[in-house]
Amino acid sequence: MVVNRVVVGAHYGLGNFIAQRVTALIMAVYSVIMLVVVMGGRPLSYAVWRDLFTQGWMRVATLLFAISLAWHAWIGIKEILIDYARPDSLRFALHVVFALVIAAYLGWTIQILWR
Amino acid sequence: MLRCDAIIKSPGNPRGEKGLGRNLMSTAAAKKPRPKYLSLSALLFEIRMPVTAWVSGMHRISGALLVFPLAAWLLYLLDMSLSSEQGYNHVRDVYFRHPLVKLGMIFFIWAYAHHFCAGIRFLLLDINKGIEKESAKTWAYVVFAASILITIYFGWRIW
């Protein structure tokens, strides 16, 4: 069977598929690093905790995690809403709500990191 | 009726593709009420889903709960703990002493661990690892067991 698909342009969800997996890997690596740093390092105190998050690499890594989370969550939420949220007007409203929630998370994270 | 049968059963046209027989069949099918098993009770007590389906479903549920409300809660905690020494001590000595907070944290650990383990399994399935029926089932059980063990370990650490 010949399917005449235009590979460029419509994407058929391939972009989302790949983004979902790449962002998952970034978050998985960050989670393991975070666990090792917190559990393997000095006993936690405010000074240790603050110093960890003032280091440049940690801020960038955390921002990368937050962006991955936002992207990953947006794709996941969209899939869930497409499957269950009826009617379309409710789904659209929930899309908007979650887009705003995820954008707010991202803004909040930046605010916490670069205070 | 006779004419219709003749069209349906005539040799060389076994499906009655002249239209008449087909139309009669589709209206008969449309009249018959189709059973629906989409209720929550059917899902929980009547339909026996394979363990692989449970992993998939819990992946969705844990993912949705991680987005809201758990991500917001964790950001709130991160914000408070990094705001000042008083904020950090408040989180550690007051906030985290509350049993409901601990239960909430254990629930977060479970959701994160399950989403993590199930996600790793899906990534491996993408590259055809553990794709056979039996190993897919085995690894689904491993995902449940691993996430519960992780939850017990870290739950014990924070309690």
Side-chain angles (χ1 to χ4, degrees), chain A residues 17 21 25 28 31 35 39 44-46 49-50 53 65 72-73 79-80 83-84 105 108-109 112 115, chain B residues 60 64 67-68 71-72 75-76 78-79 81-85 88 92 112 115-116 123 126 153-154 157:
Chain A
F17 178 91
R21 278 139 187 91
L25 281 174
S31 305
L35 208 58
M39 292 184 68
L44 274 187
S45 65
Y46 174 66
W49 189 238
R50 187 203 52 205
F53 280 95
F65 175 87
H72 190 92
E79 283 189 3
I80 290 176
D83 280 353
Y84 308 119
Y105 287 167
W108 196 1
T109 308
I112 292 170
R115 182 152 28 205
Chain B
R60 277 204 159 180
V67 174
F68 192 84
L75 270 172
Y76 169 75
L78 186 68
D79 194 0
S81 68
L82 283 174
S83 62
S84 64
E85 183 141 24
Y88 181 90
R92 193 189 56 190
Y112 203 96
H115 206 78
F116 186 100
L123 287 174
D126 283 344
Y153 174 72
F154 287 103
R157 287 282 301 253

Side-chain angles (χ1 to χ4, degrees), chain B residues 1 22-35:
Chain B
M1 208 55 211
R22 204 183 221 187
N23 284 342
L24 279 175
M25 281 160 73
S26 60
T27 43
K31 274 177 192 165
K32 193 179 167 191
R34 293 153 72 189

